[in-house]
Amino acid sequence: MAERKIKIATTSLAGCFGCHMSFLDIDEKLVLLNDRIEFNRSPFTDIKQCSPSDIGLIEGGVCNADNVRVLREFRASCAILIAVGACAITGGVPAMRNYFDLRECLEEVYLNGTGVTNPQIPSDMELPLLLDKVYPVQEVVKIDYFLPGCPPSADAFLQMLVPLLDGQKPRLATDQLHYD
Amino acid sequence: MTYESNKAIDANSITIDGETVPFDAGQTIMDAALAAKIHIPHLCHYPGLTPAGNCRLCMVEMNGESVAACVTQAQSGQQVSSNTPELNAARLAITQMLFVEGNHICPSCEKSGNCRLQAMGYYLGMLEEHFHQFNPRREIDASHSTVLLDRDRCILCDLCVRASRDIDKKNVFAIAGRGIHARLVVNTASGKLGDSNIEENDLAAKICPVGAILIRERSFDSPVGERIYDRRSISDTALTEHVPEKEVDRG
Ligand code: SF4
Ligand code: SF4
Ligand code: FES
């Protein structure tokens, strides 16, 4: 009987999808991985709900209530949760708003900014509520492994995933450790 | 007693991680280590400037006591441990605190790749910042035509203060306030860099280990892959740093 495929779920919270792009940069190795993994909820599959998975990859920090919900769903469903990239791990570029009050940011963008017409701060049921700050994911749920980088290189993804597929603890090589 | 054994007893030497290291009278443990090409992690020390002992990265165990290597005189018979898992764990925690106390967003920082705080994170294997971020609100000073001061990234190492006072002889910077209220100030009536006589070739303008004092229009000069810490570890570069001799003469 064929070996059960390892289920991987991925999501982008307050991120730019750059980490997902970098993951796809593993190119032809993705074909090799494909024999051993299958994607669950992920922008790659368009599955909207996370069911039990072996590994979850989180890109992006936590900036709104919906991010919190998705992140908790991932923690509840994934045996191993990995924070991927600078934004997930530190808040990253979106966290530049942390040095201002949320109201100041909204007023600057929607009321007082250059070129604003029909000034109003959006408030629609459909829009997730913004948090006061952008938070690293480990401030909200327990994270098992960290994969820093903006984005982490394709090789760094492999260094993280391949040992996990073999049931081993991954360790990032020193030359793969970077925060940018 | 033979001459040889006499010499061994009198010799000015300490041990660092079991290795015998000679020193000259007046040298600190850090001086002796650097002369012997042994890396004791440090951020607020720069050979050629008077040590300040404020970052605590250089903490070592000396005869069972924790001391800062950059401000502790070497004395015969000292047994120093530096590269131990315990000390490196403490150094990692200090580095993480330095990150969260300021606003460090490496992907958007001009100093990235050439930054000693970031390189210390790499050296110590820092994967995340661990502590809650302070998100402090600090003032940017863009009043000078060639030198920019972005206090968000200042780690209060005091290097610019010492370089400006002791080498450039201009006394442009000072650290005001204490503890969590400590902040870098500019010694002009307006408090602005633009009203000071700092110039881009001053040591104070060049010595900042992080991206707090930057020379304008020089950002992102070297591409990714060719920046200092893309190629070398801080444990290696830190052994080669010294205030240029001509500047010491000036000083
Ligand atoms: S000063 Fe250094 S640690 Fe801080 S953001 Fe810039 S590169 Fe990163
Ligand atoms: S501006 Fe730079 S050199 Fe000066 S105290 Fe801050 S970190 Fe140190
Ligand atoms: S290098 Fe010694 S305390 Fe900073």
Side-chain angles (χ1 to χ4, degrees), chain A residues 86 89-90 92-93 95-96 98-100 104 133 136 138-139 146 148 150 177-180, chain B residues 99 103 105-108 112 118 121-122 125-129 131-133 135-137 227:
Chain A
I89 296 172
T90 72
V93 170
M96 286 176 114
N98 289 4
Y99 321 141
F100 305 93
E104 281 177 276
K133 303 281 177 202
Q138 67 270 28
E139 296 262 358
F146 295 92
C150 185
L177 177 56
H178 57 99
Y179 308 146
D180 63 0
Chain B
F99 267 88
N103 295 324
I105 300 187
C106 295
S108 69
S112 197
Q118 187 186 61
Y122 297 162
M126 182 183 106
L127 294 170
E128 50 109 21
E129 296 173 357
F131 301 104
H132 294 294
Q133 291 169 340
N135 298 314
R137 198 159 178 170
R227 303 166 304 177

Side-chain angles (χ1 to χ4, degrees), chain A residues 62-64 92-102 105 129-135, chain B residues 105 135:
Chain A
V62 186
C63 82
N64 63 35
V93 170
M96 286 176 114
R97 82 153 154 93
N98 289 4
Y99 321 141
F100 305 93
D101 292 336
L102 181 56
C105 295
L129 275 180
L130 292 173
L131 305 184
D132 62 334
K133 303 281 177 202
V134 179
Y135 293 94
Chain B
I105 300 187
N135 298 314

